[in-house]
Amino acid sequence: GDVQSFSIGFEDRSFDESAYARKVASYLGTTHSELILEPKMLVDLVPNVVDFLDEPLADASIIPTHLLSRFARRKVTVALGGDGGDELFAGYPTLQAHRLANYYRRLPTVLREGLIGPLVSRLPVSHNNMSLDFRTKRFILGMNQPLAEQHHLWLGAYSPTEKLRLLRPDVLAQVGSSDTFDVLAEHLRACGAYDPMSQVLYLDMKMYLEGDILVKVDRASMGCSLEVRVPLLNALMLDFATRLPIHLKLRGLTRKYLLRRAMRGKLPDEIIDRPKKGFGMPVSKWLRTDLCELMRDLLAEDRLRRQGIFEPLHVASLMDEHQSGKRDNRKQLWTLVVFQLWHQRYLEEAQASSALPVDAQRP
């Protein structure tokens, strides 16, 4: 039968992959539909992202995912997504970074500190998709931590030390005893893998895939009544992939080794051999341009004081550094923006719309 495929492209060249999608579609002979998104379509969706999120989820790719779902929904009601491939077959660049980190750790200390540290701190700040500067600074940040913690320092927005600066003292007092990395330890206790890299993949599956990616795809697609199914995560495939030794997934620095081998001849070589590219957004640029006003409003000092969760001065310095191009604080700032949008919708507006003061509602 006729298989339909859908993709979106971006005007920003560093994010656009539509040409590759067209190649695959013509190679496989699908009926292909493509939509090029203008920056305005993406930016306009940001304030409304909480319409289909009942919890704060700071993954900016929910925006293009929703627009892609809306586009596909014009013609179909059920679609297939490729989620899970990275977690099952080691597709993330962070895994290569772990390999490199092992090589890096073997360098004499004088070389590491004398050469790489100063080199990285001098890199100019670039706002392109996952710029070298952004990656290298993250890489050095996690260097001296245990593998699982290092992995999450690279992926996350706020390290435990940064949280101490971000949160107000009374909030810190309430969450005082909880350790950011407790949840890692919990999952690792349940994980049967011996190899540290396989443990990282397991953590990705339990936390990143379950807690971010699948939630994002589900909310973004159900927000326009499209159902997305994920064939790579069917039980047989999952069972097969989790039993594979790590060297069939990550061979040297080649990610998804077995999957690439299996697809040879079924997909064009240049698709199989191209580097990984996340479904990224120019968040860094937006926060300095189109979204600057929204961000400044949501994170205004008087608002933060009233709310009593975040340190207004620390947040102001995160914004100023980003604005001036001194630092790329996109992860920290985007996380705060989404939290504030959610807080505004579900807590402030809900309070305002109930006639009784909140205290009076308690039984």
Side-chain angles (χ1 to χ4, degrees):
D2 171 35
V3 176
Q4 303 214 38
S5 57
F6 302 87
S7 80
I8 50 178
F10 300 107
E11 285 182 354
D12 185 326
R13 299 304 310 159
S14 92
F15 291 87
D16 184 55
E17 300 181 275
S18 53
Y20 294 106
R22 278 195 299 277
K23 276 207 171 87
V24 174
S26 74
Y27 192 87
L28 299 176
T30 65
T31 305
H32 191 59
S33 313
E34 180 184 293
L35 170 71
I36 298 289
L37 297 178
E38 292 146 28
K40 187 168 172 16
M41 296 161 80
L42 296 155
V43 169
D44 287 351
L45 192 55
V46 173
N48 308 318
V49 77
V50 287
D51 290 349
F52 43 88
L53 277 182
D54 48 6
E55 58 184 334
L57 180 74
D59 185 335
S61 67
I62 192 165
I63 291 167
T65 306
H66 180 63
L67 291 167
L68 174 59
S69 302
R70 233 160 51 184
F71 178 52
R73 183 63 184 80
R74 292 182 202 164
K75 297 188 177 172
V76 297
T77 52
V78 179
L80 301 179
D83 298 293
D86 286 318
E87 290 79 11
L88 292 184
F89 294 101
Y92 290 121
T94 30
L95 292 154
Q96 289 170 311
H98 287 306
R99 277 273 149 96
L100 288 170
N102 284 333
Y103 304 147
Y104 175 82
R105 281 197 193 90
R106 289 177 202 154
L107 291 174
T109 318
V110 51
L111 244 184
R112 289 197 321 215
E113 286 166 6
L115 177 81
I116 302 189
L119 246 169
V120 172
S121 59
R122 269 204 213 90
L123 286 170
V125 173
S126 152
H127 293 276
N128 281 345
N129 192 3
M130 284 307 266
S131 62
L132 174 72
D133 149 73
F134 182 77
R135 288 184 310 220
T136 325
K137 284 181 179 158
R138 292 245 147 206
F139 177 74
I140 301 293
L141 173 77
M143 268 320 300
N144 303 316
Q145 313 297 326
L147 189 70
E149 295 185 9
Q150 170 185 318
H151 187 64
H152 285 271
L153 282 172
W154 288 347
L155 284 177
Y158 287 93
S159 70
T161 359
E162 286 175 317
K163 283 181 192 173
L164 295 176
R165 290 202 293 272
L166 174 71
L167 299 171
R168 299 294 300 262
D170 43 338
V171 178
L172 278 175
Q174 286 172 50
V175 296
S177 60
S178 73
D179 178 347
T180 303
F181 295 126
D182 279 351
V183 61
L184 294 183
E186 227 168 281
H187 284 306
L188 284 174
R189 275 198 294 277
C191 170
Y194 299 112
D195 180 87
M197 293 295 233
S198 296
Q199 290 173 357
V200 166
L201 285 179
Y202 177 82
L203 288 172
D204 271 348
M205 209 176 298
K206 299 303 288 179
M207 295 170 69
Y208 191 41
L209 184 65
E210 274 183 30
D212 177 340
I213 295 184
L214 293 177
V215 179
K216 168 197 80 179
V217 173
D218 179 66
R219 303 296 190 275
S221 55
M222 290 313 272
C224 55
S225 307
L226 175 77
E227 190 182 331
V228 175
R229 300 196 177 141
V230 277
L232 281 174
L233 291 174
N234 80 63
L236 289 171
M237 185 63 145
L238 201 66
D239 214 35
F240 167 72
T242 46
R243 288 162 194 260
L244 287 173
I246 191 75
H247 68 92
L248 287 178
K249 301 175 182 183
L250 182 69
R251 177 160 296 202
L253 290 179
T254 304
R255 291 162 294 123
K256 289 189 179 170
Y257 176 75
L258 192 65
L259 194 58
R260 288 175 203 261
R261 278 291 295 269
M263 288 299 118
R264 237 358 120 200
K266 296 185 174 62
L267 287 171
D269 282 354
E270 64 169 311
I271 298 295
I272 292 174
D273 298 325
R274 64 181 287 240
K276 162 86 180 158
K277 191 168 179 56
F279 203 8
M281 287 285 83
V283 171
S284 200
K285 265 185 206 127
W286 290 350
L287 292 171
R288 284 184 293 117
T289 51
D290 303 290
L291 289 182
C292 186
E293 203 179 323
L294 176 71
M295 171 181 75
R296 294 270 175 195
D297 175 42
L298 290 169
L299 302 176
E301 186 176 343
D302 55 338
R303 189 177 201 147
L304 293 183
R305 287 202 190 286
R306 272 199 314 276
Q307 199 181 1
I309 302 175
F310 306 116
E311 279 292 354
L313 294 176
H314 181 61
V315 173
S317 77
L318 286 175
M319 290 193 285
D320 295 340
E321 284 176 351
H322 190 82
Q323 199 78 40
S324 67
K326 200 167 122 188
R327 272 215 178 91
D328 184 348
N329 291 330
R330 71 174 114 176
K331 277 209 155 184
Q332 294 92 321
L333 291 170
W334 179 260
T335 303
L336 290 176
V337 164
V338 173
F339 181 86
Q340 291 298 79
L341 287 168
W342 171 84
H343 189 275
Q344 181 181 10
R345 161 69 56 87
Y346 291 98
L347 299 179
E348 295 164 35
E349 285 174 20
Q351 255 174 22
S353 67
S354 62
L356 289 170
V358 173
D359 288 334
Q361 292 174 5
R362 294 209 176 110

